[in-house]
Amino acid sequence: MEKILVGLKRVVDYNVRVQVKRDGSGVETDGVKMSINPFDEIALEEALRIRERGEASEVIVVSIGSAESQQQLRTGLAMGADRAILVETDTSTDPLTAARIFKTIIDRENAELVILGKQAIDDDNSQTGQMLAAIWGRPQATFASEVSFDGNTARVTREVDIGLETIEIDLPAVITVDLRLNEPRYVKLPDIMKAKKKPLDQLSFAELGVEPAPGIKELAFEPPEARQRGIMVEDVAGLVAALKDKGLV
Amino acid sequence: MSKVLVIAEHNGTALNQSTAKCVACAKQIEGAEVDVAVFAASASSIAAEAAEISGVDRVLVLEREENDPAIAAVLAPQIAALASGYSHVFGPSTAFGKDVMPRVAALLGVNQISDIMRVEGTYRFRRPIYAGNAILTVEAPAEATVVATVRTASYQAADGGNTAAIENVSADAELPTHTRFVGVQTGQSDRPDLQTAAKVVSGGRALGSADNFGLIYKLADKLGAAIGSSRAAVDAGYVPPETQVGQTGQIIAPDLYIAIGISGAIQHITGIKDAGTIVAINKDEEAPIFEVSDIGLVGDLFNIVPELTDALN
Ligand SMILES: Cc1cc2nc3c(=O)[nH]c(=O)nc-3n(C[C@H](O)[C@H](O)[C@H](O)COP(=O)(O)OP(=O)(O)OC[C@H]3O[C@@H](n4cnc5c(N)ncnc54)[C@H](O)[C@@H]3O)c2cc1C
């Protein structure tokens, strides 16, 4: 295939202990470390491996977000992507609108495969890939833990609740990736230098002609109800006694 | 008035408990009428089970060869066609529901509400974000169909005892052939199912090998418990992936959860927040798992677990 599109979302790093703002208007992001959504990094790694096997010729990373998302795109270029596209917006983008944006880019680029993370670890929505496949009228292979190609079909193993399911899909298609698909490569310093010269195009919603989808209103953010720290027992006898006390054994 | 269509999850012959949980959630919408749709090749036993769920008005049966095994791209256009006439379409927040429901939402031109943990109103819901580190109250537009997944760990399955009407219906939709089921590999044993078990014994990286996981199996057998694990244990190949508990694994709510040699990363904790009693066994007294556990025991699992297994005789 010719081109693979990969989505890279800028999110609060997975190691950060996220705090809800006092006024309930959102979560604290000031001075907080931001990174590529970990699933998206895996998506990019897979795309690069497909290209390196000679099964695709170009990998394009796409981010929808603030100007700062350029950092994540540059990291993606340093990992090995050929080009980057930033669709700039200062507000957060809902999954259906994001899917519509990807669809317009697919059309512009004639992409045959889109690889996305199975979810972003900020909203935990897990929707964009499925929605993109729907409006494109093409197959979706979600939660992928193994991907291989045979001509115009892909064979994808998916992590489902009862184990591993394998499906076969015709290209073009959307794949969303799970954690065990691969281990993303580390970026080396010379690659970061090289990445600075790679093209990064900026596009706006208006240029793409995308109509935002009816949004879901975010009314209030709250911290979760905390579980109370319980008791510590000294030994196995104490543990068994505590379990008996609760009627659990 | 609200009319909710719940999409049944099943394995081809039996209904998954997630369906009764979705019904329980749907019934929290004031005055809601709830129908369950069963998409299957041969639906009679599944539909009979669905008809027993209390609160269900009608069970709609859509029998087609293509509906078994379930493929999101095949089901979604049928669900979307059936959705007209409903104010809400709900599915479970399981691998099945997460796969198919957003595809339905997109076909209906709406965003989805993922992982409803509480109903606040007809269009207003609470859901976890950031691996459960924040709870967001959202409101869907009233003029469009609400498509949502239900966080099954937040709901008790609705009771049985009902005798809802079962009707055959058809959905006018063209079904794609671009996606084909090849097979499924399941490590399922005769052990209790992780999603529905009252007790779960879970092991982490500290077990060190698949062989050592035998300690976890022995304790679980003693307790009649299901097996759980951390991502680190799965990645290391000690246990199959379907045992993983957490943000990207299963979200569960057993009465008893025993975490053994698991540090308690936020991505793991988010999978057990609704457990009744959490027991932690860890040699590091500073391990974050102790911040959320009801009963903690500091020590070496390789001594504690065999001793505990014996003590439960
Ligand atoms: C996007 C993303 C999603 C993720 N999703 C999940 C998920 O769904 N589920 C999940 O579990 N993780 C998930 N993780 C990984 C998570 O961050 C942790 O890395 C993982 O949970 C750690 O597993 P662990 O507790 O087994 O291992 P470790 O963190 O290494 O902890 C091992 C623990 O064992 C203890 N120990 C060692 N030896 C002994 C002994 N002899 N006796 C007793 N205790 C001992 C140690 O003190 C330590 O606390 C995710 C990560 C990311 C980035």
Side-chain angles (χ1 to χ4, degrees):
Chain A
M1 75 199 95
E2 277 286 304
K3 296 179 187 176
I4 306 178
L5 293 188
V6 173
L8 295 186
K9 187 175 186 186
R10 174 184 167 91
V11 299
V12 173
D13 186 83
Y14 79 95
N15 275 315
V16 172
R17 208 166 240 249
V18 170
Q19 302 286 341
V20 174
K21 286 186 192 161
R22 280 247 171 98
D23 65 1
S25 64
V27 304
E28 206 52 76
T29 50
D30 276 0
V32 165
K33 183 177 180 209
M34 304 295 283
S35 302
I36 298 178
N37 177 40
F39 293 97
D40 301 351
E41 231 178 314
I42 295 168
L44 174 54
E45 176 64 35
E46 197 63 20
L48 296 174
R49 291 184 190 187
I50 294 167
R51 190 196 61 197
E52 285 159 3
R53 288 199 302 263
E55 293 173 329
S57 41
E58 192 178 26
V59 174
I60 306 169
V61 284
V62 180
S63 192
I64 306 166
S66 66
E68 289 157 311
S69 302
Q70 287 185 37
Q71 290 165 17
Q72 281 64 43
L73 289 172
R74 287 288 170 205
T75 305
L77 292 170
M79 278 177 72
D82 300 287
R83 283 198 285 135
I85 298 173
L86 173 63
V87 181
E88 209 180 319
T89 165
D90 282 330
T91 54
S92 75
T93 305
D94 61 81
L96 184 54
T97 305
R100 288 177 180 172
I101 289 170
F102 275 103
K103 175 64 171 60
T104 59
I105 297 175
I106 289 169
D107 293 343
R108 288 166 80 110
E109 299 285 350
N110 243 322
E112 280 171 281
L113 182 63
V114 181
I115 312 182
L116 303 176
K118 77 161 179 178
Q119 74 195 75
I121 60 164
D122 49 5
D123 294 333
D124 282 333
N125 267 322
S126 193
Q127 300 179 20
T128 306
Q130 297 89 315
M131 290 182 155
L132 174 60
I135 60 180
W136 194 11
R138 296 304 309 165
Q140 66 188 47
T142 52
F143 326 142
S145 66
E146 218 181 303
V147 176
S148 64
F149 296 91
D150 183 5
N152 240 2
T153 64
R155 189 175 265 246
V156 180
T157 301
R158 311 176 50 233
E159 291 204 6
V160 296
D161 297 337
I162 57 162
L164 298 172
E165 181 192 270
T166 303
I167 60 172
E168 207 176 73
I169 54 174
D170 296 334
L171 300 179
V174 179
I175 296 175
T176 79
V177 308
D178 217 317
L179 291 171
R180 274 174 282 275
L181 180 59
N182 61 49
E183 210 163 302
R185 65 197 63 190
Y186 283 103
V187 173
K188 294 183 224 77
L189 198 59
D191 299 327
I192 298 175
M193 303 312 290
K194 257 193 275 172
K196 291 194 174 139
K197 298 201 193 83
K198 291 186 181 174
L200 192 162
D201 293 332
Q202 300 205 27
L203 294 169
S204 65
F205 278 46
E207 278 169 278
L208 291 171
V210 169
E211 178 124 349
I216 285 170
K217 263 195 231 139
E218 300 186 339
L219 299 179
F221 294 74
E222 287 161 67
E225 275 168 44
R227 279 189 82 99
Q228 298 304 316
R229 179 188 264 272
I231 58 161
M232 298 300 287
V233 293
E234 287 301 314
D235 50 23
V236 169
L239 174 54
V240 174
L243 287 171
K244 283 207 169 120
D245 216 37
K246 288 177 176 272
L248 290 166
V249 295
Chain B
M1 204 192 55
S2 300
K3 283 189 73 178
V4 187
L5 182 66
V6 169
I7 309 306
E9 176 174 9
H10 60 82
N11 64 3
T13 48
L15 196 65
N16 190 299
Q17 211 195 37
S18 63
T19 307
K21 294 184 173 190
C22 288
V23 171
C25 174
K27 286 309 272 186
Q28 289 192 339
I29 297 172
E30 214 183 296
E33 212 173 85
V34 180
D35 292 348
V36 174
V38 178
F39 294 84
S42 157
S44 56
S45 60
I46 307 161
E49 273 189 85
E52 288 176 18
I53 301 172
S54 117
V56 173
D57 287 288
R58 293 184 306 161
V59 176
L60 309 179
V61 171
L62 294 96
E63 271 185 337
R64 272 181 97 140
E65 275 312 311
E66 296 93 324
N67 287 343
D68 186 42
I71 289 173
V74 172
L75 295 190
Q78 300 176 68
I79 297 172
L82 202 62
S84 62
Y86 289 90
S87 55
H88 300 65
V89 184
F90 283 5
S93 183
T94 55
F96 163 77
K98 286 187 200 169
D99 189 32
V100 71
M101 297 306 288
R103 191 157 181 130
V104 173
L107 293 177
L108 296 174
V110 296
N111 276 292
Q112 171 184 284
I113 295 178
S114 299
D115 308 317
I116 293 179
M117 57 188 289
R118 199 189 297 166
V119 174
E120 300 276 331
T122 306
Y123 300 100
R124 197 175 281 199
F125 307 91
R126 283 156 67 89
R127 59 175 300 260
I129 56 174
Y130 288 96
N133 282 304
I135 307 299
L136 177 59
T137 304
V138 292
E139 191 170 75
E143 60 281 0
T145 314
V146 179
V147 177
T149 57
V150 174
R151 183 175 181 274
T152 47
S154 298
Y155 289 90
Q156 300 272 346
D159 294 337
N162 190 12
T163 48
I166 300 176
E167 295 172 21
N168 285 305
V169 297
S170 60
D172 193 15
E174 213 176 298
L175 306 189
T177 55
H178 54 46
T179 307
R180 296 167 295 274
F181 176 84
V182 176
V184 63
Q185 186 195 330
T186 158
Q188 244 175 14
S189 53
D190 30 21
R191 288 208 166 74
D193 171 52
L194 178 58
Q195 268 297 326
T196 51
K199 296 174 188 171
V200 174
V201 179
S202 199
R205 192 199 308 270
L207 269 300
S209 72
D211 275 354
N212 288 344
F213 236 86
L215 294 174
I216 303 291
Y217 290 119
K218 272 192 204 134
L219 177 56
D221 287 345
K222 214 30 139 356
L223 289 164
I227 299 292
S229 67
S230 70
R231 175 188 170 193
V234 176
D235 285 0
Y238 306 161
V239 269
E242 63 269 22
T243 59
Q244 183 178 314
V245 171
Q247 182 188 20
T248 50
Q250 311 234 14
I251 311 273
I252 56 173
D255 299 334
L256 174 63
Y257 185 80
I258 307 184
I260 299 171
I262 291 178
S263 61
I266 48 169
Q267 295 90 358
H268 188 80
I269 301 296
T270 192
I272 54 171
K273 275 198 172 138
D274 297 287
T277 297
I278 298 176
V279 174
I281 298 170
N282 196 302
K283 71 173 182 191
D284 173 11
E285 61 181 320
E286 305 280 315
I289 188 78
F290 289 124
E291 287 167 34
V292 296
S293 59
D294 301 281
I295 308 172
L297 175 52
V298 178
D300 189 333
L301 75 91
F302 293 103
N303 300 325
I304 292 173
V305 176
E307 201 185 325
L308 176 60
T309 310
D310 283 344
L312 291 172
N313 266 330

